């Protein structure tokens, strides 16, 4: 493919991402499968362009007069990210072959003016406009740094070593033999970190196939460990999702006790089964009703209830920048109400003296502190329990790309009065 054809393809992919709900990675994969003529270098160049644009979308759209279509964003990126001159950009837009059509008068005008004037605060941050005030309130003088970290280039690949089957140094040596140089994660004692470039094929390794490692961000490993699951406990993973934290809880329990993982989507539970088998652990999987029913027999029985509540996923925007532009203020309000309701339901399962931990992978206070505040007001029988982590403030913890080099996470720990 010519450089111009790659630009046209990137613009097409960006339009497909904007029109649907699929992750950018899935859209790019589908494009590659439908366009077999594109070689590996072509696919990489297109993907790099797409992710560059997604991370700079606010600035590019602003520079192009508010346009958000793939063509405009790609054109803006050539000027503001690549630093090309207008003549160079016009050369790439000759309309020949599979390249993009020539620039319009309006596009040339926007490019001529690109970079002039001071960027509005929300544009400079790279965040959606409605998120900026939340960041300013939450992080104070650090808000811009936190925003930059969240929308930064691709995150590293973190692995959790399954200590039921292996030890960290043994797995590290095994990966080195496979050509993957991993380093210990700074916070999690069972974590290893790989760079995202070049993309490592973790699932092709024997360590992954045999269940000695799982892909799991260090932040997720941390909140899982802080929950305090231990052998012999009755533990409920109330919103199991893909099962990453279910596996972490099972590892902490060492195969002793009762682990119940629930979710409202059967497909998610089905996807957990092979992961449990590969890791050599077990859990009872339960399909919950849309209103949370399905665990009434466990009311007042659980030593620990882990609530990884549905959330915006804003803590993972460095991995999925497209999600930042799909989120709305109304959706955040809906999620807040859902989180408070789920916490109330999950609280019924906790025995006197047992614990509940609330977790999100969100950076937004409406889903984090404000949801926790609402739970505490409605459930005074749950007292806060201090979290054992240097970044914790009492019973609450915030992790973020800028402060801990992890995805963004929030956790709050409680114990039910005896």
């Amino acid at each position: 493919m010519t450089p111009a054809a790659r630009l046209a393809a990137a613009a097409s992919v960006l339009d497909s991402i904007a029109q649907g709900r699929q992750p950018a990675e899935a859209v790019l994969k589908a494009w590659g499968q439908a366009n077999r003529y594109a070689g590996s270098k072509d696919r990489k160049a297109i993907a790099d362009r797409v992710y560059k644009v997604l991370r700079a979308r606010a600035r590019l759209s602003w520079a192009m007069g508010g346009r958000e279509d793939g063509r405009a964003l790609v054109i803006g990126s050539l000027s503001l990210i690549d630093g090309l001159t207008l003549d160079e950009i016009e050369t790439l837009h000759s309309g020949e072959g599979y390249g993009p059509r020539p620039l319009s008068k309006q596009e040339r005008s926007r490019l001529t003016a690109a970079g002039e004037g001071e960027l509005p605060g929300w544009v400079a941050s790279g965040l959606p406009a409605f998120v900026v005030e939340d960041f300013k309130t939450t992080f104070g003088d650090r808000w811009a740094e936190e925003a930059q970290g969240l929308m930064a280039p691709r995150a590293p690949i973190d692995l959790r070593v399954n200590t039921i089957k292996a030890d960290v140094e043994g797995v590290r040596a095994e990966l080195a033999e496979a050509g993957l140089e991993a380093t210990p994660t700074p916070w999690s004692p069972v974590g290893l970190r790989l760079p995202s470039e070049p993309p490592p094929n973790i699932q092709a390794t024997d360590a992954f196939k045999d269940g000695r490692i799982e892909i799991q961000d260090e932040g997720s490993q941390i909140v899982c460990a802080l929950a305090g699951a231990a052998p012999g406990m009755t533990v409920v993973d109330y919103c199991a999702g893909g099962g990453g934290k279910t596996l972490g809880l099972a590892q902490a329990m060492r195969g002793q006790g009762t682990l119940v993982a629930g979710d409202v989507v059967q497909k998610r539970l089905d996807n957990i089964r092979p992961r449990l088998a590969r890791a050599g652990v077990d859990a009872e999987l339960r399909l919950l009703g849309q209103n949370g029913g399905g665990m009434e027999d466990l009311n007042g029985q659980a030593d620990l209830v882990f609530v990884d509540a549905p959330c915006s996923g804003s803590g993972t925007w460095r991995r999925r920048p497209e999600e930042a532009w799909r989120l709305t203020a109304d959706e955040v309000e809906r999620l807040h109400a859902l989180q408070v309701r789920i916490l109330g339901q999950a609280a019924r399962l906790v025995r006197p003296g047992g614990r509940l931990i609330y977790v999100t992978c969100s950076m937004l206070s409406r889903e984090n502190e404000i949801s926790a505040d609402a739970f505490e007001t409605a459930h005074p029988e749950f007292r806060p329990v201090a979290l054992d982590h240097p970044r914790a403030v009492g019973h609450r913890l915030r992790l973020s790309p800028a402060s801990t080099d992890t995805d963004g996470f929030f956790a709050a720990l409680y114990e039910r009065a005896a």
Side-chain angles (χ1 to χ4, degrees), residues 11-168:
S12 175
V13 169
L14 285 163
D15 285 335
S16 295
I17 292 169
Q19 292 161 9
R21 299 294 303 178
Q22 281 193 307
E25 183 179 6
V27 176
L28 283 161
K29 183 178 180 180
W31 185 92
Q33 291 172 339
N35 297 273
R36 297 288 185 179
Y37 61 84
S40 59
K41 290 183 179 179
D42 296 321
R43 294 194 302 273
K44 184 179 186 304
I46 292 165
D48 286 347
R49 176 69 56 184
V50 165
Y51 278 106
K52 281 180 181 178
V53 167
L54 289 171
R55 291 190 171 91
R57 184 172 181 262
R59 184 162 58 106
L60 300 178
S61 175
W62 182 80
M64 296 303 292
R67 283 179 55 186
E68 297 182 345
D69 57 284
R71 173 182 167 87
L73 296 173
V74 168
I75 290 172
S77 74
L78 293 172
S79 174
L80 296 179
I81 297 177
D82 293 20
L84 299 188
T85 65
L86 178 58
D87 287 344
E88 290 171 324
I89 295 172
E90 290 208 281
T91 298
L92 291 166
H93 289 72
S94 67
E96 297 177 357
Y98 293 98
R101 67 182 184 274
L103 299 179
S104 67
K105 179 180 179 180
Q106 290 80 9
E107 287 169 341
R108 285 194 295 271
S109 176
R110 293 309 308 182
L111 287 173
T112 301
E116 295 181 358
E118 186 175 351
L119 294 176
W122 72 272
V123 174
S125 74
L127 298 173
F130 82 92
V131 171
V132 170
E133 287 307 314
D134 187 292
F135 265 58
K136 288 181 177 179
T137 301
T138 301
F139 299 108
D141 293 341
R142 281 180 48 83
W143 81 270
E145 182 180 345
E146 291 288 347
Q148 183 178 17
L150 186 58
M151 303 304 284
R154 292 187 180 185
I157 307 299
D158 289 346
L159 309 173
R160 175 178 49 78
V161 175
N162 179 5
T163 53
I164 293 175
K165 288 191 169 187
D167 62 80
V168 174

Side-chain angles (χ1 to χ4, degrees), residues 329-351:
D330 287 345
E331 176 65 3
V332 173
E333 286 302 314
R334 185 191 72 81
L335 289 165
H336 163 71
L338 178 61
Q339 290 152 2
V340 174
R341 178 168 66 81
I342 286 174
L343 279 169
Q345 294 166 338
R348 301 170 190 162
L349 307 178
V350 184
R351 68 165 177 81

Side-chain angles (χ1 to χ4, degrees), residues 230-286:
M233 283 186 172
T234 295
V235 178
V236 175
D237 186 0
Y238 196 72
C239 305
K245 297 180 184 68
T246 306
L247 293 170
L249 294 169
Q251 179 173 320
M253 295 172 69
R254 312 297 296 182
Q256 302 172 41
T258 300
L259 175 59
V260 181
D263 202 274
V264 296
V265 178
Q266 183 63 52
K267 185 176 180 180
R268 293 175 188 159
L269 296 175
D270 292 340
N271 291 339
I272 296 174
R273 296 183 193 280
R275 298 182 71 185
L276 289 168
R278 191 171 64 244
V281 295
D282 193 23
E284 179 187 345
L285 305 180
R286 294 195 189 186

